[in-house]
Amino acid sequence: MKNIVLIGFMGSGKTEIGKRLADKLGYTFIDTDSIIEKEMGKSISEIFREDGEEHFRGLEAWVVKELSGIRGCVISTGGGIVINRENILRLKKDGVIIWLKASPETIYGRIKSEHHRPLLRVEDPLQEINKLLGLREPLYAEADITIETDGLDIEKIVGKIVDAYSKF
Ligand code: S3P
């Protein structure tokens, strides 16, 4: 059983959708950010503040290597996992990569009341979302499957994933 790997921008619902999807399929749920937080004994925000983004990207690459060879999991990834191409190539070896695609407005609507994402703690988060999304969309688009999530609730999105995955 290949893994299902969820990629997409911050606030695209990877963790929540991943948990529901894993439940539905009887897969094990794994979240790369949670593994990093456990390993380091601190939050992602603290890692960014105390060790810097570059260090965090190194930890992301380490987790992806650690996960190689596992099977039957839904893996939810941090939004920046695609920046390092090697991460995606590795994850593709044992998994189907699914991009949860959302518009900047949908993303902004989801993240505006949350404060745990260091990259979006800026004066104009919507502008930052547009900027980062512009840079990252070509990388997310390398996924095996793209799921449009705008305007859909979790159940609908999970249903669309199961449907697309079964036909893949
Ligand atoms: C990041 C996304 C975050 C987290 C970190 C950096 C990014 O994960 O890994 O704050 O660069 O897009 P989520 O996508 O789960 O918010």
Side-chain angles (χ1 to χ4, degrees):
M1 267 188 319
K2 279 199 152 197
N3 303 309
I4 297 181
V5 182
L6 300 180
I7 65 168
F9 203 76
M10 292 171 264
S12 57
K14 293 164 299 205
T15 304
E16 225 179 323
I17 292 164
K19 281 184 186 159
R20 196 72 65 88
L21 182 65
D23 269 358
K24 191 161 184 153
L25 298 175
Y27 282 28
T28 303
F29 176 72
I30 290 177
D31 181 273
T32 57
D33 279 349
S34 298
I35 296 176
I36 291 172
E37 287 181 326
K38 247 183 232 145
E39 178 69 19
M40 296 298 285
K42 49 187 168 181
S43 70
I44 300 294
S45 290
E46 286 168 330
I47 297 170
F48 267 73
R49 198 172 52 239
E50 293 168 16
D51 312 296
E53 179 172 351
E54 212 177 304
H55 186 72
F56 173 75
R57 298 299 171 203
L59 292 166
E60 263 185 335
W62 164 79
V63 178
V64 170
K65 279 187 203 144
E66 285 289 301
L67 293 178
S68 81
I70 61 149
R71 285 281 198 285
C73 294
V74 173
I75 304 173
S76 165
T77 60
I81 204 111
V82 294
I83 295 170
N84 180 347
R85 212 178 138 63
E86 215 169 283
N87 288 340
I88 291 301
L89 294 177
R90 276 183 201 276
L91 288 164
K92 260 194 187 188
K93 271 195 196 145
D94 304 307
V96 178
I97 313 281
I98 299 186
W99 174 23
L100 299 182
K101 188 175 182 186
S103 68
E105 291 71 25
T106 298
I107 290 166
Y108 181 61
R110 292 200 191 127
I111 63 95
K112 67 178 179 223
S113 56
E114 299 175 348
H115 305 285
H116 65 278
R117 294 187 173 91
L119 293 179
L120 297 180
R121 249 183 253 134
V122 293
E123 209 172 300
D124 187 344
L126 183 57
Q127 190 185 44
E128 190 65 14
I129 290 167
N130 272 301
K131 188 188 101 188
L132 286 177
L133 206 50
L135 294 171
R136 291 181 183 176
E137 275 207 337
L139 307 172
Y140 294 135
E142 289 190 30
D144 299 304
I145 296 170
T146 298
I147 302 288
E148 303 276 352
T149 66
D150 285 341
L152 300 179
D153 63 22
I154 292 192
E155 280 319 314
K156 287 246 167 60
I157 297 168
V158 169
K160 273 177 95 171
I161 295 172
V162 171
D163 191 43
Y165 178 60
S166 66
K167 288 179 188 145
F168 182 72

